[in-house]
Amino acid sequence: VQKPGVDRVLKADLGFLFIAARTLEFLSPELARSSLVDIVSEIRSSMLDELDFTKELDNVETFRRFLRQNGLERIAAAPRTFPEASSKKVLTMELFSGVPLTDLEGISRNSKNPEQTLINALNVWSLSVRGCEIFHADVHAGNLLVLEDGRVGFIDFGIVGRIPPEIWSAVEGLVVSFAANDARGMARNLIAMGATEATVDEASLAQDVASVLGRIAGLEPEVVLRGRGDGRVVAEVALDNDQVTELLLEVVRVAESNGLKLPREFALLVKQALYFDRYTKLLAPDLDPLRDERVAVGEYTSGPVIDV
């Protein structure tokens, strides 16, 4: 249920932010190269879309249809919606019972094979990027649940992404290069994806990308103990969302410093890739997404492809 008056407050705040960004670009033309206004405009548009719960309901149903049409309902789920009890300010859905993907004890209780559960989540999300009209663009641990029946539950479809067909090949290459820790491959695909009016030095960009990849590789999730309301103490993995966002912004800064202007979809995809990279280090540290035949990163077929 949407809090009364939040739409007026949000519109006012975002309007001020947009005007401030335009003013800064006017006063400092060099900022125009950093796409500041475009970024603020995208944020404004996305957050205002989240105020309309009918759009989120449509996103959920689109994802549920994708699961059903591709035979994925046995390993993944999205909550059933109730349109007759929903509106722009109220969204009524099925209640999921599960644990976050970072709850070590809960995962072992709900899944006999946590590594396979992670692979199922990664496969379903990766396939949706290319095989669905929308992909989930906020897969932090609170939005990925391991349900009591062992399936992966995707919730909260307020933020979604859509990949324009003209950049899909570059997006696919970027995903594969990231999984392979291939800085040169990432640079090549960033150039193919980004808008630029000048020639970009691929070697220089690759060197900068390699530096960011080194920072990503050096991150280690922290296992913490948390008390629950029922008196239990459970082990969870703390993933610093601020750190993930900072790394994403660093990639964007690297691209822009090399003369590239990246589309919004890039930022959404990379942030989700960083989340899954953290989950892999936690649940399947020996997993090689490119060489493990159970992983369907960068692939899509019209039928069920995941073996459970």
Side-chain angles (χ1 to χ4, degrees):
V1 177
Q2 192 174 118
K3 184 177 180 180
V6 69
D7 54 340
R8 294 192 300 273
V9 174
L10 194 57
K11 287 176 182 177
D13 290 346
L14 291 172
F16 173 78
L17 188 62
F18 180 76
I19 293 173
R22 290 293 299 268
T23 302
L24 285 172
E25 281 200 356
F26 176 77
L27 295 175
S28 178
E30 183 65 21
L31 285 175
R33 186 164 165 265
S34 68
S35 313
L36 180 61
V37 168
D38 290 342
I39 293 172
V40 171
S41 180
E42 286 291 353
I43 292 174
R44 181 176 182 271
S45 177
S46 297
M47 293 191 73
L48 291 180
D49 273 350
E50 289 188 69
L51 292 174
D52 186 351
F53 289 168
T54 61
K55 293 183 178 181
E56 182 171 350
L57 186 149
D58 289 341
N59 292 338
V60 176
E61 287 303 320
T62 296
F63 194 79
R64 282 170 52 81
R65 185 165 58 251
F66 159 75
L67 295 178
R68 183 170 60 253
Q69 292 175 347
N70 289 278
L72 302 174
E73 291 179 304
R74 58 200 175 102
I75 61 169
R80 186 162 57 100
T81 62
F82 298 88
E84 67 280 6
S86 301
S87 67
K88 284 189 174 183
K89 296 182 182 296
V90 176
L91 179 56
T92 307
M93 296 180 292
E94 171 188 8
L95 176 64
F96 272 179
S97 180
V99 298
L101 201 61
T102 53
D103 183 340
L104 300 180
E105 181 182 336
I107 292 176
S108 62
R109 188 171 59 249
N110 290 355
S111 171
K112 296 179 180 178
N113 188 342
E115 180 178 275
Q116 183 63 55
T117 299
L118 169 66
I119 291 173
N120 290 343
L122 177 58
N123 280 344
V124 171
W125 181 82
S126 297
L127 293 175
S128 74
V129 171
R130 186 164 189 175
C132 184
E133 297 171 35
I134 54 99
F135 65 87
H136 197 302
D138 196 19
V139 293
H140 64 72
N143 289 340
L144 283 183
L145 303 178
V146 181
L147 305 180
E148 292 181 344
D149 61 6
R151 293 185 298 167
V152 178
F154 289 78
I155 64 173
D156 190 355
F157 284 78
I159 303 177
V160 299
R162 295 173 175 82
I163 301 297
E166 61 270 19
I167 69 168
W168 171 249
S169 178
V171 168
E172 189 173 39
L174 185 68
V175 171
V176 172
S177 297
F178 178 80
N181 201 40
D182 177 8
R184 192 66 180 247
M186 287 186 65
R188 184 167 55 252
N189 285 289
L190 283 171
I191 292 171
M193 186 188 306
T196 179
E197 297 178 354
T199 301
V200 177
D201 187 336
E202 182 178 310
S204 177
L205 177 58
Q207 186 175 1
D208 291 342
V209 169
S211 176
V212 178
L213 287 176
R215 290 184 58 196
I216 294 173
L219 290 178
E220 291 296 337
E222 178 186 2
V223 179
V224 298
L225 299 179
R226 298 192 189 279
R228 292 293 177 84
D230 58 6
R232 291 188 305 125
V233 176
V234 300
E236 293 185 355
V237 175
L239 292 173
D240 190 336
N241 289 341
D242 291 339
Q243 203 171 36
V244 171
T245 301
E246 176 57 31
L247 284 170
L248 168 61
L249 293 175
E250 181 63 25
V251 175
V252 173
R253 283 194 290 268
V254 162
E256 291 178 342
S257 68
N258 282 272
L260 292 173
K261 184 177 179 181
L262 299 172
R264 168 181 179 264
E265 289 75 18
F266 165 78
L268 292 177
L269 281 170
V270 171
K271 188 165 186 178
Q272 313 323 305
L274 289 172
Y275 279 128
F276 276 113
D277 181 64
R278 302 296 94 208
Y279 303 147
T280 299
K281 287 190 174 182
L282 162 68
L283 298 174
D286 297 325
L287 178 68
D288 184 338
L290 291 183
R291 294 175 177 81
D292 195 307
E293 62 182 12
R294 297 171 297 170
V295 180
V297 173
E299 300 175 4
Y300 177 73
T301 62
S302 58
V305 299
I306 302 174
D307 182 16
V308 293

